[in-house]
Amino acid sequence: MERLVTPAAMRAWADARRAEGARIGLVPTMGYLHDGHVSLVRVAKEAGSEAVAASIFVNPTQFGPGEDFEKYPRDEARDLAMLDAAGVDAVYLPGVKDMYPEGHQTFVDVTGVSRGLCGAARPGHFRGVATVVAKLFLASKPHVAVFGEKDYQQLAVIRAMNRDLDFGVEIVGAPIVREEDGLAKSSRNVYLKGEDRVAARCLSRGLFRARELFGKGERDAGILAGVAGAAIDGEPRALLEYAEGRNPVTLAPLAGQVDAVTILVAAKVGPARLIDNITLGK
Ligand code: PAF
């Protein structure tokens, strides 16, 4: 597995792979990898990638003041071993100064789909995400890029950016990977200790209840989202941020009878801010 640190080195690797006629797959991450990330590598290969690059970069521009940028978990040695074992060909590990040198002043702002949900609680977050993903695309020149569906709004933001800026990358969403008790895998789960870890199940519990109701014929988006929110509200250690039913493709708010809906939830449990979602009726 090659290690690349600068944008120039990443570009040179991508140019060489393209010259060989290889289809490049990109798996962007912020490190502290878990099985969910490994599944992204697998999905990249299933999508026909012949040369897979993964990036590890804790991107400061997507963290707001007072958020967990400094204490975001990091374990580079373990991450590299996991990517190597997963069959990644190159890992891109730029430093903050490589990505944002003195004088950096260009940002990508996807309007519309960045608003509401996590965009409301984390102003500037999706601007940071879109900017860094644009930079990763330009350096690694992927044919296909894979992102987890756990960050559902992020995926919609990246799809919009890719379309609007004519990147021409095939964006693939990979299904959420869950712990045995339903909790969606996340690097931030490391913040959950003891009773908070148990309480964190309320997010997936509510979503699974909504799925059960949908299975029994309930089609009211407000009722389905309400059920998911109530499971979080009923957990004393959790603080509900939002529980909303949205159009699975456009993320437009939905009310009343629906054929398909994505229910998105966010809550604080102890020190961790957690998100989760489920799509019903796709
Ligand atoms: O989902 C993530 O890990 C990050 O938001 C991403 C897409 C790697 C951009 O920093």
Side-chain angles (χ1 to χ4, degrees):
M1 188 171 69
E2 282 187 59
R3 282 191 210 187
L4 312 161
V5 174
T6 62
M10 182 73 253
R11 278 197 303 272
W13 181 88
D15 286 342
R17 299 295 80 73
R18 282 195 170 242
E20 292 163 3
R23 182 171 157 84
I24 299 175
L26 175 68
V27 177
T29 83
M30 297 207 301
Y32 210 71
L33 305 179
H34 49 71
D35 293 350
H37 295 107
V38 174
S39 81
L40 303 184
V41 174
R42 207 166 42 238
V43 169
K45 291 184 181 222
E46 282 162 13
S49 308
E50 292 151 333
V52 178
S55 61
I56 299 177
F57 179 63
V58 184
N59 172 36
T61 65
Q62 69 188 77
F63 290 79
E67 291 188 358
D68 56 346
F69 173 66
E70 275 85 19
K71 64 177 208 292
Y72 194 83
R74 291 160 168 91
D75 189 343
E76 192 176 298
R78 188 168 145 270
D79 289 346
L80 292 175
M82 284 175 79
L83 293 175
D84 203 16
V88 165
D89 300 291
V91 59
Y92 183 34
L93 297 150
V96 172
K97 292 229 161 66
D98 298 305
M99 291 297 261
Y100 300 110
E102 192 70 32
H104 172 95
Q105 54 196 280
T106 306
F107 291 87
V108 179
D109 194 6
V110 178
T111 59
V113 81
S114 291
R115 308 278 178 258
L117 302 170
C118 289
R122 305 185 70 190
H125 169 65
F126 288 119
R127 182 179 186 252
V129 169
T131 300
V132 81
V133 172
K135 288 167 68 66
L136 294 170
F137 281 4
L138 290 166
S140 66
K141 307 180 185 188
H143 297 84
V144 53
V146 185
F147 299 85
E149 286 179 348
K150 188 181 76 80
D151 296 285
Y152 202 87
Q153 187 178 17
Q154 167 173 285
L155 184 55
V157 167
I158 291 165
R159 284 190 198 284
M161 178 195 77
N162 183 58
R163 182 197 59 213
D164 295 349
L165 297 185
D166 304 312
F167 276 102
V169 176
E170 182 188 337
I171 308 292
V172 177
I176 297 175
V177 177
R178 298 183 178 280
E179 302 288 353
E180 250 170 51
D181 66 358
L183 178 67
K185 295 224 182 201
S186 164
S187 304
R188 288 190 168 97
N189 290 351
V190 71
Y191 300 147
L192 295 166
K193 307 282 183 223
E195 291 179 38
D196 285 337
R197 172 64 188 80
V198 178
R201 292 180 195 157
C202 66
L203 282 83
S204 56
R205 192 165 58 232
L207 295 172
F208 296 161
R209 268 190 208 148
R211 181 175 63 192
E212 206 179 300
L213 270 189
F214 190 87
K216 289 183 179 152
E218 180 59 63
R219 290 291 180 274
D220 186 291
I223 291 177
L224 293 164
V227 163
I232 297 171
D233 267 337
E235 170 49 65
R237 303 185 80 83
L239 185 64
L240 176 68
E241 195 183 288
Y242 63 76
E244 293 190 33
R246 297 287 185 112
N247 179 296
V249 178
T250 64
L251 282 191
L254 292 178
Q257 297 293 302
V258 293
D259 292 331
V261 59
T262 299
I263 299 172
L264 302 105
V265 295
K268 284 260 337 227
V269 181
R273 180 181 179 279
L274 304 174
I275 57 173
D276 201 348
N277 66 83
I278 202 164
T279 297
L280 306 171
K282 46 179 161 181

